[in-house]
Amino acid sequence: MESFSIVMVVLIALVVFTVFKGVRIVPQGYKWVVQRLGKYSQTLEPGLNLIIPYVDDVAYKVTTKDIVLDIPSQEVITRDNVVIIANAVAYINIVRPDKAVYGIEDYEYGIRNLVQTSLRSIIGEMDLDNALSSREEIKTKLKHAISEDIADWGITLKTVEIQDINPSQTMQASMEEQAAAERLRRATVTRADGQKQAAILEADGRLEASRRDAEAQVVLAKGSEESIRLITAAMGDEEMPIVYLLGEQYIKSIRQLAESDNSKMVVLPADILSTVKGMVGDKFKV
């Protein structure tokens, strides 16, 4: 009787263990891949699932959430032989867990290498300026290039983003030197243009001053001509006007000399009146 009880307990425990082995509760966000005797059998969806105990086995537990894959930075050579550093991030989703686990040994490693290879190929067909300013174009081409390949692994590429795409340190230094040289060139051109404009304005000023001086000389000459004409009409002698003007200029020069700041002493002829009278002649009447 005691032996029978032990057998029953063992049988009950075996039944409970067997039922436990046959019942699988899959959490939301996962799918489980089941193998039967070492061969793929089925994929368990989230919720309560039944499998054959001791025959079926859960081999893989695959997430159905979006997976973020960081693509490491790498050196890429553009079409114009410039080295740039580029990296990216890919967002994937596993829609067929059986293909993901049986189609490739490590799908994450495979996708990273696929993105890096495609990125090198796409940027290699572009010049530096286009590569730095065409992230959306690179993103579109990259997504198109790898979507079909990873579809064979039961994986969907949600999107891929270019994180950084920058020239190498050597190229950055060269670009900075080029930018500095360009700024210096522009400053030199601006300075030269300023000097040119200043010289033109100065020349225009001198030209205008010379023109005004010439006009003033013409006015003075006309004034002198009119003075000579009036003096000639008053004196009625052809020589006396000239003598008169010379005397006038003589007296004016002595006055200017006396008014000069540098003048300490002015010596006048003792017979200045006679001198002026002699210059204008005896015909001059006061």
Side-chain angles (χ1 to χ4, degrees):
M1 189 66 180
E2 184 177 354
S3 299
F4 178 75
S5 298
I6 295 174
V7 172
M8 289 299 295
V9 170
V10 172
L11 289 176
I12 293 172
L14 182 60
V15 170
V16 172
F17 180 74
T18 301
V19 172
F20 178 78
K21 290 281 291 183
V23 176
R24 289 289 184 268
I25 299 177
V26 180
Q28 187 67 38
Y30 286 87
K31 290 183 179 181
W32 291 0
V33 176
V34 176
Q35 292 182 164
R36 179 170 297 171
L37 301 177
K39 184 180 179 180
Y40 170 73
S41 173
Q42 61 178 322
T43 300
L44 303 182
E45 300 291 335
L48 180 63
N49 295 269
L50 299 177
I51 61 175
I52 301 175
Y54 309 113
V55 177
D56 293 341
D57 179 54
V58 177
Y60 301 96
K61 297 180 180 180
V62 181
T63 180
T64 57
K65 303 174 186 177
D66 288 346
I67 300 174
V68 181
L69 291 181
D70 184 51
I71 310 302
S73 299
Q74 61 175 334
E75 292 186 350
V76 183
I77 301 177
T78 61
R79 184 170 57 186
D80 48 354
N81 296 323
V82 177
V83 178
I84 62 177
I85 308 298
N87 67 344
V89 58
Y91 298 84
I92 63 173
N93 182 266
I94 301 175
V95 295
R96 291 288 304 273
D98 54 321
K99 288 187 175 182
V101 296
Y102 294 117
I104 185 172
E105 182 69 25
D106 186 343
Y107 62 84
E108 290 190 1
Y109 177 78
I111 293 175
R112 286 192 179 97
N113 280 272
L114 190 59
V115 171
Q116 286 184 316
T117 303
S118 300
L119 189 60
R120 286 196 298 270
S121 176
I122 293 170
I123 295 179
E125 297 175 353
M126 306 174 71
D127 294 332
L128 174 63
D129 293 339
N130 291 335
L132 296 178
S133 60
S134 305
R135 292 195 178 202
E136 288 299 322
E137 180 181 352
I138 296 174
K139 168 185 171 181
T140 301
K141 291 183 178 180
L142 188 59
K143 184 177 180 179
H144 178 74
I146 66 177
S147 293
E148 295 183 1
D149 293 333
I150 67 174
D152 294 337
W153 305 334
I155 300 174
T156 299
L157 178 65
K158 305 295 287 291
T159 186
V160 59
E161 298 290 343
I162 306 300
Q163 285 186 311
D164 294 313
I165 180 168
N166 300 308
S168 63
Q169 294 182 352
T170 303
M171 188 60 193
Q172 287 181 4
S174 299
M175 293 174 66
E176 290 175 359
E177 291 179 359
Q178 182 179 1
E182 179 64 18
R183 288 193 296 268
L184 180 60
R185 185 191 67 81
R186 292 181 180 178
T188 303
V189 171
T190 302
R191 190 183 307 110
D193 288 341
Q195 294 174 350
K196 177 182 177 182
Q197 292 299 324
I200 292 174
L201 292 175
E202 183 180 357
D204 289 342
R206 290 196 303 268
L207 178 61
E208 183 64 21
S210 299
R211 185 181 294 113
R212 295 296 178 90
D213 289 341
E215 292 176 355
Q217 293 295 331
V218 171
V219 173
L220 291 175
K222 289 182 178 179
S224 298
E225 180 184 358
E226 182 66 18
S227 299
I228 294 173
R229 188 181 64 77
L230 293 175
I231 295 171
T232 302
M235 294 183 176
D237 192 332
E238 296 180 356
E239 296 181 359
M240 288 307 298
I242 299 175
V243 174
Y244 173 78
L245 291 176
L246 289 174
E248 184 181 20
Q249 292 297 324
Y250 177 73
I251 296 173
K252 186 184 297 184
S253 298
I254 294 176
R255 184 173 66 248
Q256 291 177 350
L257 180 61
E259 294 175 352
S260 174
D261 295 336
N262 296 326
S263 177
K264 302 300 181 181
M265 179 178 64
V266 177
V267 179
L268 297 176
D271 56 348
I272 184 171
L273 296 177
S274 299
T275 301
V276 174
K277 183 178 179 180
M279 291 177 63
V280 301
D282 295 335
K283 294 183 180 181
F284 177 72
K285 305 274 182 152
V286 180

